[in-house]
Amino acid sequence: MSQDGVALETSLGYLLKEAASALRAAMEDALRPLGLTVTQYACLELLAQCPGLSGSELARGAFVTRQSMNVLLQAMERDGYVTRPAEAPVGKVLPTRLAPDGRRILEKASAEVRAVEVRMLEGMTATEQSATFAALRSMVDSLRADGT
Amino acid sequence: MSQDGVALETSLGYLLKEAASALRAAMEDALRPLGLTVTQYACLELLAQCPGLSGSELARGAFVTRQSMNVLLQAMERDGYVTRPAEAPVGKVLPTRLAPDGRRILEKASAEVRAVEVRMLEGMTATEQSATFAALRSMVDSLRADGT
DNA sequence: TGACTCATGTCAGTATCCTGACATACCGTT
DNA sequence: AACGGTATGTCAGGATACTGACATGAGTCA
């Protein structure tokens, strides 16, 4: 191993990617025993908080395209985790809801993920956490400003 | 659109993913005119700072597998951006270095990416930036502690 | 020296996600 | 009522990254 990180690690962007990568890996490890991917978990969590979300809304919330979310929803419907009406009650929107099995597995998954997040925040004071929260939100807003 | 973000957006993990997603999208937009992907840019930047890195080391630095980095390096070698010896001078490690064309395009790419990062940090004081830096590093360290 | 462990490069197969495209349904204005 | 703009769900194709596996070379230790 040569010397790693001379100037790149001084970049907030690089560190942001590193943190997100580490968090994703930790979540994958935590969710693997349950047979869930991170995207599937995000989808279930979104549905628990906002029942009846459309596929496109779920896609935006999970940061994937609506096409990817569509195949994911079909699989989760087949597995009995979510339910969608066969036909759209209004327009083309197919409102998705948690099935009992989905609610059950989400409960376990949520506990695992919460443990990961707690571990991630250990050593940070509440003040530091809220400061980081504000900083990240500021970054998101600034980046979205022009990128549309 | 139903109501979005009730509790999920209060999660630092979710916000971290959102920020990383926004940053990646902004970087993709900035690098697309140059015909570079974010991973390719990361690879070039790593090589500029640490010439002679092996494929595996580059993979770790860019947060991809060494297999993915390998195909990426083959393409970049074909495009004349990097050079690798035909045979390993020692062991199996193939030290990679920037070619003149790679150094040239990296110069342009680096300017674009720097502009994105500047935009991302607008509205944050230097104190807030370094506090966020410390917080992200703390998260990475905590997550890596057990995940091995 | 020989056995063991680890890291690297590479090949093959698979999975995941994305881009492009189309038809349909709502909403606004004219 | 008719139109254009927007949003949704879906299909097809391709790009990208990953997992699994193998052989090779270096380092360690008995």
Side-chain angles (χ1 to χ4, degrees):
Chain A
M1 176 87 77
S2 308
Q3 51 179 352
D4 251 1
V6 175
L8 256 194
E9 300 209 347
T10 66
S11 156
L12 244 183
Y14 187 84
L15 192 53
L16 182 57
K17 186 175 181 180
E18 185 172 8
S21 174
L23 175 59
R24 185 179 185 89
M27 287 180 66
E28 282 174 352
D29 291 343
L31 293 174
R32 188 171 302 116
L34 294 172
L36 283 181
T37 67
V38 174
T39 309
Q40 286 174 328
Y41 163 73
C43 180
L44 291 175
E45 194 74 54
L46 283 166
L47 285 175
Q49 296 181 8
C50 304
L53 281 184
S54 71
S56 293
E57 289 170 326
L58 286 171
R60 281 192 292 270
F63 308 108
V64 295
T65 62
R66 62 187 194 276
Q67 293 90 331
S68 298
M69 182 54 70
N70 194 34
V71 304
L72 193 147
L73 284 175
Q74 289 174 357
M76 295 187 81
E77 190 174 14
R78 173 179 47 75
D79 293 344
Y81 289 157
V82 302
T83 60
R84 311 176 79 186
E87 291 184 358
V90 52
K92 297 192 65 177
V93 176
L94 291 177
T96 312
R97 294 181 177 280
L98 281 183
D101 281 0
R103 207 172 294 275
R104 245 187 306 275
I105 199 169
L106 173 59
E107 198 170 345
K108 301 177 185 174
S110 201
E112 297 293 333
V113 170
R114 227 185 317 267
V116 170
E117 190 149 340
V118 166
R119 197 174 82 225
M120 179 179 78
L121 298 177
E122 77 185 3
M124 291 178 64
T125 67
T127 305
E128 288 168 338
Q129 290 181 27
S130 67
T132 307
F133 191 93
L136 288 176
R137 175 139 303 284
S138 164
M139 293 187 206
V140 171
D141 291 342
S142 299
L143 287 174
R144 294 228 191 287
D146 149 293
T148 307
Chain B
M1 175 89 76
S2 308
Q3 50 180 351
D4 251 0
V6 175
L8 258 193
E9 300 209 346
T10 66
S11 156
L12 244 182
Y14 186 84
L15 192 53
L16 182 58
K17 186 175 180 180
E18 185 173 6
S21 173
L23 175 59
R24 185 179 185 88
M27 286 180 66
E28 282 174 352
D29 291 343
L31 293 175
R32 188 170 303 117
L34 293 173
L36 283 181
T37 67
V38 174
T39 309
Q40 286 174 328
Y41 164 74
C43 180
L44 291 175
E45 194 74 53
L46 283 165
L47 285 176
Q49 297 181 6
C50 304
L53 281 184
S54 72
S56 293
E57 288 170 326
L58 286 170
R60 282 191 292 270
F63 309 108
V64 295
T65 62
R66 62 185 194 277
Q67 294 90 330
S68 298
M69 182 54 70
N70 195 34
V71 304
L72 194 147
L73 283 175
Q74 289 174 358
M76 294 188 80
E77 190 174 13
R78 173 180 46 75
D79 293 344
Y81 290 157
V82 302
T83 61
R84 311 176 80 186
E87 292 184 359
V90 53
K92 296 193 66 178
V93 176
L94 291 177
T96 312
R97 295 181 177 278
L98 281 183
D101 281 0
R103 207 172 293 275
R104 244 187 306 274
I105 199 169
L106 172 59
E107 198 171 345
K108 301 177 185 175
S110 201
E112 297 293 332
V113 169
R114 226 185 318 267
V116 170
E117 190 149 339
V118 166
R119 197 174 81 225
M120 179 179 78
L121 298 178
E122 78 184 3
M124 291 177 64
T125 67
T127 305
E128 288 168 338
Q129 290 181 26
S130 67
T132 307
F133 191 93
L136 289 176
R137 175 139 303 285
S138 164
M139 293 187 206
V140 172
D141 291 342
S142 299
L143 288 174
R144 293 228 192 287
D146 149 294
T148 308

